[in-house]
Amino acid sequence: MVGTSVSPTGEHWTRTDSLAFWSFGLGMLLENYVFSMSSIATGWVSMPKSLQSLLLAWSPIWLIIGIAVAGPLSDVMGRKNTFYLTMSLYGLGAIGLVFSSTYLWILVFLALMLFAAGGEMNTIMAASHEVMPHKHRSKTMFMELNFINLGGMLLAAVSLFSISNSVSFQRGMVAIAFLVVLAILFVMRKNTPESIRWLERKGMTKRAQAEIAKYYGEVEYQARQEAARMATEAAERQDNGHPRNPSTFLKLFVTITISFAGSAGFGLMTYVLGPSYFKPFTAWIILVATGVGFFSGFLGLWADRWSRKNLLLLGYGGTFLMTVLIYGTVGSWTKNMSFFWVLLVALNLFVNIGYLTEDTLKAEVWPTKVRGTLTAIVRFVSIGLYIVTIYMSQHYSLSQYMLFNLVVWAIGLAGALAWYWRGIETGRGTSLDTASGER
């Protein structure tokens, strides 16, 4: 991503784009780093099953609260100002976590960090589509989302590295590693622009012009506008002058079902399975799941060429079939953990294809003025339902647990099929105006 490249439309990849890409990527990394902490924290203090379930639910609970606040806030006060708020809360929470030695204080400071994480990711999902060059819009979003997997890998690695030491040492290492990345992120964010698209939709023309002059230059920005315009006109010609924009109901049904399955299905297998059934392997399950996701995520380098509809169906269809296999072989892999790891790797390959695709789709289909809010609504509902699944499944046998996971992925597959049949293509170089219906 670093360097300068020229597309046939005259767009350039600039230093500003590199800084924006890395700042969004690191923001995604910290979001999953924080989200994964609850699973690791189950080993920091002794607790009964009921409090363990609360700690595991703590991540999605405070994540959706942050989402609910930051989504509308980013539409009102801007993407960049919202980032400054989330980074400040991150810092306070991480410092407090270093000194948290009781269950209560761990909950308090994790809540602060998770609130910030929810707002951070939601704002990145809105801003990235608006800020990145048209030619690289899909690719950069996929690769930024791949940092989520890297965040889980980093936390698991730090946890495993420090596991032989005291709990306070492990907790301190987790917090310090986070603060180092946060400091780098703050410097990058200082040198990236506010979303020009958001400023223009809010009528802040003078400030938009100032941001263009400071970060891009008039010639470069006009080249980007022209590239997007040409893509929009091409889509209109393909639709014979009658552009199709799916109904709000279809968009909400699809994005909520696929987002719910992505959150609950992945969460139950990655963050809940270990503490509930295989406690000694908790960090290893997180490391393997996110590691597979990270390396398979580099397929996103070709995301601008591929169909979003096809990838969504491949991801959710493949995950559903793999979950059928896992459910049907419970008796085998519980006796042979090597078989379990093979199944986990294969499962997460498809999970990641669906996950990267749905997280890209659910932010691009909304108009700019309400992109943060509607993305937040989808994420609030879907992750909120994930919380329900944690409590619904806490007393299941392992076989029942896997059957429940199968039902979750069936719901996601229903959403993917609905978009394949009735949705529009938002990949393959589609402009944001076309994807959002703003054309």
Side-chain angles (χ1 to χ4, degrees), residues 167-189:
V167 168
S168 60
F169 177 80
Q170 185 185 57
R171 192 177 64 245
M173 284 293 295
V174 166
I176 290 168
F178 179 90
L179 286 168
V180 170
V181 178
L182 181 63
I184 297 170
L185 178 61
F186 180 79
V187 173
M188 288 183 172
R189 290 266 169 83

Side-chain angles (χ1 to χ4, degrees), residues 42 174 301 314:
T42 57
V174 166
L301 290 169
L314 173 64

Side-chain angles (χ1 to χ4, degrees), residues 260-281:
F260 161 69
S263 300
F266 178 75
L268 289 172
M269 285 297 290
T270 305
Y271 302 119
V272 182
L273 181 67
S276 298
Y277 301 95
F278 303 101
K279 201 171 186 67
F281 299 113

Side-chain angles (χ1 to χ4, degrees), residues 348-382:
N348 278 283
L349 177 61
F350 289 106
V351 167
N352 197 53
I353 292 172
Y355 176 69
L356 296 179
T357 308
E358 62 97 353
D359 256 4
T360 300
L361 178 75
K362 70 188 176 195
E364 68 185 345
V365 295
W366 310 113
T368 301
K369 280 188 175 181
V370 291
R371 179 168 289 115
T373 301
L374 288 174
T375 302
I377 289 173
V378 170
R379 298 184 69 224
F380 182 90
V381 173
S382 58

Side-chain angles (χ1 to χ4, degrees), residues 318-330:
T319 302
F320 177 76
L321 293 176
M322 279 303 307
T323 310
V324 170
L325 177 60
I326 291 171
Y327 169 64
T329 59
V330 169

